[in-house]
Amino acid sequence: MFFVRTAADEDVEKIRVLLGETFHDAYDPFYGADQVAKMVSGWHSANAIRSRIGKRDGEFLVADDGRKLGGIAYAAIYPKMAKTVMLHQLYVHPSCQNEGIGRDLFAEMETCFPDAEIMRVEVALPNVRAMSFYERLGFSEVDRMEEWGAPNSGLPAIIMEKRLQQH
């Protein structure tokens, strides 16, 4: 049984390992292991994770069963758009997928930003499984972009949005 809680500094290494394994599982078929390894080392370093955990306008959640992390989610206020939250990461370890962990992480994340009206997420274009997941949560495509994850990545993505319930 996984419980969703706020991430802490002592979770950084477990989060780093989970993101590495999950990224390779999800993206190696599209981009190749070498490209994914570069993405993981740049985007998911211990320092990058630590800075997200400590971000003032953000929330970093983990799904924890007391022994291991089954998934993570990170979102922050989107400075470019009023009352909008950007869901930067929502990943469930391959061994824990299809158990409702992603849905539970998202349900908790929706409550973390009471003033937000919209949640946005960028999904790599080949990641049809993730697009389907977000559609089931109520997201729909609003735009496309050429540079997913980092400038000059050359990785196209779609941008999806969901209206949030006002509490």
Side-chain angles (χ1 to χ4, degrees):
M1 180 98 183
F2 285 89
F3 297 93
V4 175
R5 63 171 174 80
T6 299
D9 280 343
E10 55 267 19
D11 296 317
V12 169
E13 185 57 23
K14 286 181 180 178
I15 292 167
R16 195 186 65 70
V17 169
L18 179 143
L19 285 170
E21 292 173 359
T22 304
F23 248 61
H24 278 288
D25 183 70
Y27 299 116
D28 280 6
F30 312 130
Y31 305 129
D34 290 345
Q35 174 75 10
V36 173
K38 289 178 188 154
M39 294 157 73
V40 167
S41 67
W43 300 350
H44 305 313
S45 68
N47 285 340
I49 294 165
R50 207 170 282 113
S51 74
R52 288 182 204 119
I53 289 173
K55 189 162 168 43
R56 193 170 48 85
D57 293 332
E59 184 65 46
F60 203 123
L61 302 174
V62 295
D64 186 351
D65 72 356
R67 294 183 317 282
K68 68 179 187 292
L69 299 183
I72 66 99
Y74 169 67
I77 297 295
Y78 192 51
K80 297 177 184 174
M81 294 175 67
K83 296 187 180 280
T84 301
V85 172
M86 178 63 84
L87 180 61
H88 292 283
Q89 299 175 308
L90 196 161
Y91 291 100
V92 175
H93 193 274
S95 67
C96 300
Q97 290 176 0
N98 302 312
E99 295 179 20
I101 293 169
R103 184 195 62 233
D104 291 349
L105 283 163
F106 181 76
E108 181 66 24
M109 190 61 79
E110 277 188 300
T111 70
C112 292
F113 300 91
D115 296 333
E117 295 176 2
I118 294 170
M119 187 169 291
R120 282 189 140 203
V121 65
E122 299 170 356
V123 181
L125 208 50
N127 197 346
V128 176
R129 190 165 180 218
M131 285 181 220
S132 173
F133 170 77
Y134 289 116
E135 285 170 355
R136 288 193 307 276
L137 292 175
F139 283 80
S140 57
E141 181 178 341
V142 294
D143 204 357
R144 293 194 174 223
M145 61 192 298
E146 297 303 316
E147 304 294 336
W148 175 71
N152 304 313
S153 69
L155 306 175
I158 68 165
I159 300 169
M160 301 178 83
E161 283 186 357
K162 177 184 180 172
R163 280 217 150 294
L164 299 175
Q165 303 299 319
Q166 295 300 300
H167 302 286

